[in-house]
Amino acid sequence: FHKHNTNLAQENLQFANEVREIMVDENPHFSTGKSILIADFIESTYPYLITLLLWTLGSISLLLIIEIGFKDCFTIIFSVLLALGFIQVLISQLEIPITPLNFLIFPLILGYCFDGVLHIHQRYREEATGSIPFVMRRTGAAIIAASITTASGYLGFAISDHPGLSGIGILALLGASASLIASFIILPAIIAWGDLKRLRSQLKLKG
């Protein structure tokens, strides 16, 4: 048989498919064990996990469109998805295994990201154009404190010897990082760019 790392979902599935049914003297022999059970669990739950993630993103988007309009909704979703894309690249480069157990943390990560970005965006709407430095000093400090407390709670999971709990903790910490990236880098940059465009338009009209 090929060598497989059964801690990785895709390789676990490949290994299970290779050993699930073995022909001996033209008689089928069926295997069982941890890898087979995990593969069956992945195959039976993965489609529902993807559906769960899409429903989470769709319901949040719908609520945002109703509450703040399509344009602001697009800005917020773009900030979150860009931050999550960066984290996904990091997960891939570090070869962090995604399993059905720690995949369940992704809807929670979406919640982290949207929570921080929405606080920044709503405070900016209250303070109006040009207020992003003030908003980042005030509301940003609260978001940092909230992120630190959340990360502290999951740190115990991340350093656990249990692979499932460790995976949940690591992904949760990366989710907190994604929230900070979206709230402190991507969204403020987009807002500042929009403020600069409005300022230039106003100067042209006055000129």
Side-chain angles (χ1 to χ4, degrees):
F1 297 111
H2 297 96
K3 184 178 180 181
H4 293 290
N5 179 1
T6 54
N7 289 322
L8 301 178
Q10 189 61 40
E11 293 197 22
N12 193 99
L13 288 171
Q14 293 174 0
F15 174 74
N17 290 332
E18 288 181 8
V19 302
R20 191 185 301 273
E21 181 179 347
I22 301 173
M23 299 297 294
V24 179
D25 296 330
E26 298 184 356
N27 295 316
H29 293 262
F30 299 96
S31 303
T32 187
K34 176 184 173 182
S35 297
I36 304 296
L37 293 174
I38 291 176
D40 290 340
F41 181 70
I42 292 171
E43 290 176 339
S44 61
T45 59
Y46 185 75
Y48 299 101
L49 295 176
I50 295 295
T51 302
L52 172 64
L53 190 59
L54 293 176
W55 270 103
T56 302
L57 182 60
S59 58
I60 291 174
S61 302
L62 181 61
L63 289 173
L64 288 177
I65 291 173
I66 294 172
E67 180 66 24
I68 62 177
F70 180 79
K71 183 179 178 181
D72 288 340
C73 173
F74 177 79
T75 299
I76 290 172
I77 291 176
F78 177 78
S79 301
V80 170
L81 292 183
L82 193 60
L84 290 177
F86 171 77
I87 294 300
Q88 181 59 46
V89 171
L90 192 60
I91 289 172
S92 177
Q93 292 298 316
L94 296 177
E95 297 184 350
I96 298 172
I98 304 298
T99 68
L101 184 60
N102 62 27
F103 190 89
L104 293 173
I105 205 72
F106 276 99
L108 188 59
I109 291 175
L110 275 178
Y112 289 160
C113 294
F114 277 108
D115 187 52
V117 169
L118 277 171
H119 276 89
I120 295 294
H121 186 268
Q122 289 299 102
R123 185 62 187 272
Y124 167 76
R125 292 180 69 188
E126 293 174 1
E127 301 296 335
T129 300
S131 63
I132 195 64
F134 172 81
V135 170
M136 299 309 298
R137 286 196 303 270
R138 297 298 181 89
T139 306
I143 292 174
I144 289 177
S147 297
I148 290 174
T149 56
T150 300
S152 299
Y154 280 102
L155 184 61
F157 284 77
I159 62 177
S160 170
D161 292 331
H162 189 281
L165 295 178
S166 176
I168 289 175
I170 291 171
L171 288 183
L173 292 176
L174 290 175
S177 302
S179 175
L180 292 176
I181 292 171
S183 302
F184 282 84
I185 299 176
I186 301 173
L187 181 64
I190 294 173
I191 291 175
W193 177 69
D195 285 351
L196 183 61
K197 284 186 64 177
R198 280 190 290 272
L199 181 60
R200 285 177 176 174
S201 298
Q202 291 172 2
L203 290 175
K204 285 182 180 180
L205 289 174
K206 291 180 180 179

